[in-house]
Structure formats: structure tokens, C-alpha cells
């Protein structure tokens, strides 16, 4: 098939307080009393009874609190799947991810690996998943990644950082309740919000652009400008708009691709563990050559919100380390092709990429 036939999230609830409907949504999905619902929740909510008291546990349902200090790993997914299988007589009725991109991606990956043999690393790539995943629900508590809508779950494996991209990856249900984002720290709000902004710029400036992606990208970009450069929004309006910007930014890349910032920040993340949002910001700050308008606006936003980015993170790297980063970055060929066209290898060389990393 020359045109890709992508699935979309089939069910979504939007609205402040909609998280209260979670139990109503899940109850009809319970397969039987031996098939629990497993909640993967960011451990930032561990002592937050406001959130946890809204989750009604029955039978063998379980909340597993997970730290998002590090981004999801294939080995972490395998360990979670093993724990869930060993503790239960039957496969779960559903997996519910509550948190940022880290927890959403973990929920997607665990729900896939509960029904597919082998290890998560075997499925990093495009369309390698054979069996439909367990019913899975995504509930973002911070906005920007678009992980709530995307067809991938980004994992760091033993050899690569790459998503499990498949028709079975998207959530069966998403709940967008902006109230859950109330306590996001300001710096993190900016970094993850900029992930969305960068998705838009990379999609809209890419060679893969088409009317489908453009319409979502334009909408998300306008929302980002309103949120990060405007002065007229109330806190609630800004939160709700960022949720929708994240959604549209994610939709925009479904039918196109991201670009230079993502290709480079995956390298940083693989080698140095730099997290996605801040890593994208560190990289994008130096990409005037590729995205002049986008970087100019980014700098205005950074100034307006008084955000300081780390500097010199590549200052003491060895040749071997630079090479590892460059290898990871160049392995993401579709991203480079989208950004620079079919002849991208002539435009961006290893030396040039290294010189860019050295600025960071
Ligand atoms: P994150 O999930 O790591 O969360 C960032 C920080 O915010 C964490 O410290 C977390 O505890 C905190 N946090 C989240 N919600 C909070 C709240 N309501 N109150 C207080 N603190 C809160 O970060 P992220 O930027 O959302 O996600 C990054 C991850 O998403 C990366 O692993 C990246 O690879 C992935 N990602 C996936 C996709 C996709 O399409 N699947 C797209 C982009 C990024
Ligand atoms: Zn991103």
C-alpha cells in the first residue's frame, strides 16, 4: 500500500474533572475478576491522595508507581511485564498510564509486550508487533509530547533508542483532564511544551509535509504562540490549550516526521541520559541554520519565561563518545530525510554534526 493507513485513538474524553469518570469507563472493560486493571502512575503522585483516591481498586487491581527520572527502557518494560504475569492468574483487563510521556510510553509498551512473545527490544522499529495489545488507556498529567496520540512508544534498548511503531501502539482510550497538570513545575512545563512546539516546526518545515500534517501543525503552532508568547490566557485556558496543542502536534507528525532537533537529541539522550524535553531545547537553541524562524521564536519564548538552559554538556566528551552520539543520530534516517531532503547525507556530514554537538 503506497499510502499509509494509520489508526487513530478511537475514544477520548476532554474536560476539567473528566478524570473522575475513569472508573465508569473501565468497569465495562473488566474481563473477569482474575484479570486486573494495572495502573502505571508517575511516582510524583505517590503521596497525592487527591489523584490516587480517584482510582477505585477492585479484586487484584494494582497501582505501580514508577519514577520518570530516567526515560523508559526495554529492560524496564520486560521486568514490568514479568511482574504482572507472575502476580496474576490471567492477563490484565487493561493497562492505564498516568503521567508524562515516560509513563504513557511505558503503558503502551507493557500493553504490547503482554501479548507478544520475546523481549521489548525485538520490537523496536516499524510494524514488528504481531498481536493486538491489551486494552490501554493514556492519561497525561503534563502536556507536550503528543505521546497520548502517537503510534509509537519510544524506548531505550541495549543498542538503540527507537520506538515500537505499530498499529497496536495507540491508546484505546485517552482522558484529557487539564486539572491533572496543575502542579507541573515551570521549567518542566516549558521543556515539555517546547517538545510540542518543536514537533510543529520540524513537521511544518519538513520535506514530508502534506495538507494533513500541515493542518494539525498550523493549529498546534498557533496555540503554542498564544500560550508561550501571549498575555491574555487564564491559567486554566493555558493548560487546556497546551493539552490540545500537544494532541495536534502529535497528529501532525503521525503523517510526517520530526527533524534535526529530534535526531540530535536522541543522541544526547542515548549517551548522556539527557531527557527528551530539555534535550530538544538544548539542541534547538543551536539550529538557526535549519530553522531560522522557529529558533528565533523559541529564543523569545525562553526569554519571556526566564528559562536558562544548561551549557557545555558536550565539553568533555571523547572522540569515541562523539562518534556514538553521531551514529545514533544518523541512524534516524527518516528524520534527516524529512528535514533536509533525499540528499541529506551531502548536507550534514559527521564533522558538521560533531561541530554542532560541540556548541552544546
Ligand atoms: P516525563 O514524563 O519524564 O515527565 C517530566 C517530569 O514532570 C517528571 O519529573 C514528572 O514526574 C513530572 N510531572 C509530570 N506530571 C506532573 C504533574 N502533574 N505535577 C508535577 N510533576 C509532574 O516527561 P515528558 O516530557 O512528558 O515525556 C518525555 C518522554 O516522552 C521521553 O521518554 C520521550 O522519549 C517520550 N516521548 C514520546 C513520544 C511518543 O510519541 N511516544 C513523543 C515525544 C516524547
Ligand atoms: Zn518530541
Amino acid at each position: 500500500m503506497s499510502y499509509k493507513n494509520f489508526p487513530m485513538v478511537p475514544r477520548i474524553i476532554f474536560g476539567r474533572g473528566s478524570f473522575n469518570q475513569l472508573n465508569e469507563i473501565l468497569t465495562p472493560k473488566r474481563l473477569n475478576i482474575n484479570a486486573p486493571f494495572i495502573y502505571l502512575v508517575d511516582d510524583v503522585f505517590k503521596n497525592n491522595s487527591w489523584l490516587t483516591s480517584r482510582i477505585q481498586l477492585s479484586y487484584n487491581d494494582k497501582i505501580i508507581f514508577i519514577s520518570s527520572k530516567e526515560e523508559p527502557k526495554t529492560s524496564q518494560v520486560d521486568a514490568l511485564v514479568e511482574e504482572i504475569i507472575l502476580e496474576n492468574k490471567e492477563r490484565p483487563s487493561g493497562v492505564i498510564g498516568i503521567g508524562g510521556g515516560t509513563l504513557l510510553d511505558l503503558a503502551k509498551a507493557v500493553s504490547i509486550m503482554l501479548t507478544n512473545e520475546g523481549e521489548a527490544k525485538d520490537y523496536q522499529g516499524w510494524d514488528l508487533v504481531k498481536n493486538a495489545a491489551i486494552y490501554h488507556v493514556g492519561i497525561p498529567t503534563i502536556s507536550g509530547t503528543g505521546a497520548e496520540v502517537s503510534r509509537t512508544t519510544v524506548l531505550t534498548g541495549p543498542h538503540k533508542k527507537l520506538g515500537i511503531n505499530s498499529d497496536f501502539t495507540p491508546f484505546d482510550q485517552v482522558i484529557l483532564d487539564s486539572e491533572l497538570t496543575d502542579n507541573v513545575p515551570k521549567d518542566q512545563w516549558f521543556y515539555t511544551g517546547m517538545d510540542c512546539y518543536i514537533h510543529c516546526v520540524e513537521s511544518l518545515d519538513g520535506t514530508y509535509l502534506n495538507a494533513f500534517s500541515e493542518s494539525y501543525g498550523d493549529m498546534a503552532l498557533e496555540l503554542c504562540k498564544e500560550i508561550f508568547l501571549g498575555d491574555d490566557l487564564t491559567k486554566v485556558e493555558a493548560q487546556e490549550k497546551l493539552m490540545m496543542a500537544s494532541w495536534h502536534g502529535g497528529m501532525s507528525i503521525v503523517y510526517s516526521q520530526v527533524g534535526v532537533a529530534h535526531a540530535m537529541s536522541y543522541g544526547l539522550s542515548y549517551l548522556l541520559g539527557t531527557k527528551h524535553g530539555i534535550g530538544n531545547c538544548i539542541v534547538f537553541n543551536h539550529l538557526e541554520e535549519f530553522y531560522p524562524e522557529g529558533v528565533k521564536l523559541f529564543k523569545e519564548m525562553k526569554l519571556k519565561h526566564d528559562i536558562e538552559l544548561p551549557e557545555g554538556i558536550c565539553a568533555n566528551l571523547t572522540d569515541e563518545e562523539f562518534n556514538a552520539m553521531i551514529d545514533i543520530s544518523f541512524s534516524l534516517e527518516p528524520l534527516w530525510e524529512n528535514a533536509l531532503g533525499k540528499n541529506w547525507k551531502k548536507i550534514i556530514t559527521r564533522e558538521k554534526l560533531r561541530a554542532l554537538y560541540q556548541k552544546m
Side-chain angles (χ1 to χ4, degrees):
M1 214 188 289
S2 54
Y3 287 97
K4 294 198 178 119
N5 187 9
F6 287 132
M8 287 169 74
V9 172
R11 282 184 183 269
I12 170 156
I13 286 196
F14 175 86
R16 237 170 140 79
S18 58
F19 182 59
N20 290 328
Q21 283 173 233
L22 177 61
N23 301 302
E24 244 176 277
I25 294 168
L26 293 183
T27 301
K29 299 289 176 186
R30 188 182 295 281
L31 300 173
N32 65 60
I33 59 170
N34 293 319
F37 285 110
I38 305 292
Y39 298 83
L40 305 182
V41 182
D42 191 306
D43 71 359
V44 77
F45 295 108
K46 200 162 189 175
N47 298 313
N48 182 325
S49 58
W50 179 87
L51 183 127
T52 51
S53 68
R54 284 167 165 73
I55 300 175
Q56 269 173 32
L57 300 179
S58 311
Y59 310 108
N60 298 326
D61 295 350
K62 187 174 177 187
I63 297 180
I64 305 178
F65 289 104
I66 298 176
S67 163
S68 54
K69 272 217 170 61
E70 293 185 354
E71 297 193 337
K73 295 192 176 55
T74 55
S75 55
Q76 184 185 15
V77 172
D78 296 334
L80 280 165
V81 169
E82 192 177 341
E83 177 185 332
I84 294 167
I85 289 176
L86 287 178
E87 279 185 3
N88 292 289
K89 293 196 187 109
E90 290 189 23
R91 281 187 192 147
S93 296
V95 177
I96 299 100
I98 305 179
T102 300
L103 267 293
L104 297 182
D105 277 357
L106 276 172
K108 289 175 173 180
V110 166
S111 70
I112 289 171
M113 292 312 299
L114 279 163
T115 55
N116 285 276
E117 285 184 358
E119 298 174 68
K121 69 174 167 55
D122 305 334
Y123 296 92
Q124 284 179 285
W126 279 269
D127 300 307
L128 302 171
V129 178
K130 292 181 185 65
N131 305 317
I134 298 272
Y135 173 75
H136 50 304
V137 180
I139 308 178
T141 64
I142 180 170
S143 305
T145 65
E148 63 278 15
V149 72
S150 75
R151 188 181 174 271
T152 188
T153 156
V154 184
L155 302 175
T156 302
H159 308 297
K160 53 193 170 197
K161 179 174 176 183
L162 185 61
I164 299 180
N165 298 265
S166 83
D167 281 354
F168 305 118
T169 309
F171 286 111
D172 298 296
Q173 168 82 56
V174 169
I175 298 181
L176 296 183
D177 179 347
S178 66
E179 205 171 3
L180 299 178
T181 68
D182 262 352
N183 297 322
V184 172
K186 185 184 136 199
D187 281 9
Q188 191 62 54
W189 163 80
F190 185 83
Y191 302 145
T192 302
M194 284 302 109
D195 190 23
C196 171
Y197 171 72
I198 296 168
H199 291 158
C200 299
V201 174
E202 291 185 322
S203 166
L204 292 170
D205 280 5
T207 61
Y208 290 3
L209 189 67
N210 50 69
F212 183 98
S213 295
E214 191 174 11
S215 62
Y216 284 107
D218 278 342
M219 186 136 30
L221 185 64
E222 279 316 306
L223 288 167
C224 285
K225 287 183 191 163
E226 236 185 294
I227 297 156
F228 291 100
L229 289 173
D231 290 309
D232 303 330
L233 300 179
T234 65
K235 185 176 171 195
V236 171
E237 283 169 343
Q239 287 176 346
E240 295 202 325
K241 285 187 185 233
L242 190 52
M243 281 203 135
M244 290 322 296
S246 175
W247 183 273
H248 285 94
M251 284 300 298
S252 179
I253 43 180
V254 163
Y255 232 107
S256 66
Q257 248 309 345
V258 282
V260 180
H262 276 75
M264 290 189 69
S265 96
Y266 273 34
L268 287 182
S269 156
Y270 189 82
L271 188 78
L272 304 174
T274 314
K275 292 198 66 185
H276 189 74
I278 191 169
N280 278 348
C281 288
I282 293 171
V283 173
F284 198 67
N285 202 30
H286 293 282
L287 296 185
E288 284 97 344
E289 179 186 344
F290 304 103
Y291 306 108
E293 266 308 299
V295 175
K296 188 167 155 264
L297 268 193
F298 169 77
K299 290 191 170 168
E300 279 174 37
M301 296 173 183
K302 189 162 70 77
L303 191 67
K304 182 172 166 90
H305 297 288
D306 202 14
I307 302 289
E308 298 248 355
L309 293 174
E311 285 176 16
I313 62 168
C314 295
N316 299 316
L317 298 185
T318 62
D319 286 349
E320 205 178 315
E321 287 171 324
F322 274 116
N323 282 332
M325 248 176 2
I326 293 167
D327 287 342
I328 290 284
S329 183
F330 275 163
S331 71
L332 298 158
E333 297 204 359
L335 282 62
W336 288 106
E337 187 180 293
N338 173 46
L340 306 175
K342 290 221 180 301
N343 290 328
W344 63 272
K345 285 183 184 152
K346 294 204 173 99
I347 302 171
I348 182 93
T349 58
R350 292 186 76 87
E351 293 69 35
K352 195 161 174 188
L353 195 53
R354 179 173 170 146
L356 272 172
Y357 274 129
Q358 274 168 328
K359 287 194 200 168
M360 289 163 195

